[in-house]
Amino acid sequence: KNIKYDLKIVCFNSTEAVGNNFVFPSGPLRENFNEIKNYDIIFIIGDKNNKKLLNKIQKIKKKSNIFFANYIPTNLSKFNLKRKYLIFSGIGNPHEFETTLKKNKFKIEEKIIFPDHYNYKDEDLNEIKNLARKKGLKIITTEKDFLRLSKKQQRNIQYLIIKLKINKLNNLKKIILNKR
């Protein structure tokens, strides 16, 4: 049975965009790109200047509500940016986490990427902590990953808190309220 939606929203990361144009599991798309014509709101997270992505969207949907957004770290003051870091994550787009850190002047010495929704074992964290200790690195992960760790596993690990800043937020609110 199909679900009737009041509002359909699709998100793209400006760095990855549509990737190889294939649908999951062969590519990053969850459905054929032409389905964009059925969406009310399109989010592009990251660089506003991805003309290739914008042109591709507008070829299929001339009049579209496109909103740009960026990941903004909210706890940067908790980090010593003079230190070098080991980063690890088990999220859908780990490269975006790394990009966000680099944009904010983190010195990344090592990175370990796990599959999305990875269930961390004590051995995984012991390896991470041993490598960091050996190389004199601080450890940082995503808030999502940190919260999936046990209290014991969380020791000596910092995490980045990120909020999504949406440009033209009032316009988005109007669209959402008009769909009610």
Side-chain angles (χ1 to χ4, degrees):
K1 192 172 185 177
N2 288 339
I3 297 172
K4 172 108 172 70
Y5 296 97
D6 291 334
L7 194 63
K8 287 184 78 176
I9 301 171
V10 63
C11 295
F12 293 98
N13 176 298
S14 68
T15 310
E16 192 170 296
V18 296
N20 61 4
N21 286 304
F22 290 121
V23 177
F24 181 83
S26 301
L29 299 179
R30 302 209 177 190
E31 60 188 357
N32 186 298
F33 188 79
N34 288 330
E35 291 299 312
I36 203 162
K37 66 184 175 283
N38 298 319
Y39 283 83
D40 302 294
I41 297 172
I42 300 165
F43 278 106
I44 299 176
I45 301 172
D47 185 11
K48 282 184 181 184
N49 298 316
N50 189 330
K51 300 283 186 235
K52 189 174 176 185
L53 177 59
L54 285 171
N55 289 339
K56 189 171 176 101
I57 290 168
Q58 289 168 339
K59 274 184 190 170
I60 295 170
K61 186 164 180 142
K62 299 260 185 275
K63 189 170 168 30
S64 51
N65 294 309
I66 298 175
F67 291 89
F68 294 94
N70 286 293
Y71 296 120
I72 308 295
T74 62
N75 64 335
L76 284 176
S77 63
K78 299 214 181 259
F79 298 95
N80 179 350
L81 297 180
K82 291 181 174 134
R83 295 289 310 262
K84 293 181 180 175
Y85 286 86
L86 176 153
I87 68 171
F88 77 93
S89 64
I91 58 175
N93 190 347
H95 307 295
E96 194 62 35
F97 174 55
E98 182 180 359
T99 299
T100 300
L101 290 170
K102 285 180 177 177
K103 279 182 188 172
N104 287 281
K105 310 285 190 258
F106 281 81
K107 296 176 186 127
I108 300 166
E109 196 73 23
E110 292 283 339
K111 65 181 171 186
I112 301 171
I113 297 172
F114 293 92
D116 195 12
H117 303 288
Y118 186 74
N119 186 18
Y120 295 101
K121 299 170 200 63
D122 285 341
E123 302 84 58
D124 299 320
L125 277 296
N126 289 339
E127 280 182 40
I128 289 168
K129 289 177 181 183
N130 287 336
L131 178 60
R133 198 174 311 111
K134 226 183 282 180
K135 294 193 169 197
L137 307 173
K138 290 291 220 176
I139 304 170
I140 185 171
T141 191
T142 67
E143 183 177 17
K144 176 184 168 188
D145 286 298
F146 184 83
L147 294 175
R148 288 189 288 138
L149 302 176
S150 70
K151 291 288 178 209
K152 178 185 167 206
Q153 291 172 332
Q154 289 176 348
R155 266 188 252 138
N156 299 317
I157 295 176
Q158 294 179 281
Y159 63 95
L160 193 65
I161 299 173
I162 295 176
K163 75 174 188 174
L164 186 67
K165 182 177 184 285
I166 301 169
N167 296 352
K168 299 183 181 175
L169 185 58
N170 286 334
N171 292 356
L172 175 63
K173 286 177 183 176
K174 285 178 193 170
I175 292 169
I176 291 170
L177 291 173
N178 287 334
K179 282 288 185 174
R180 285 185 166 181

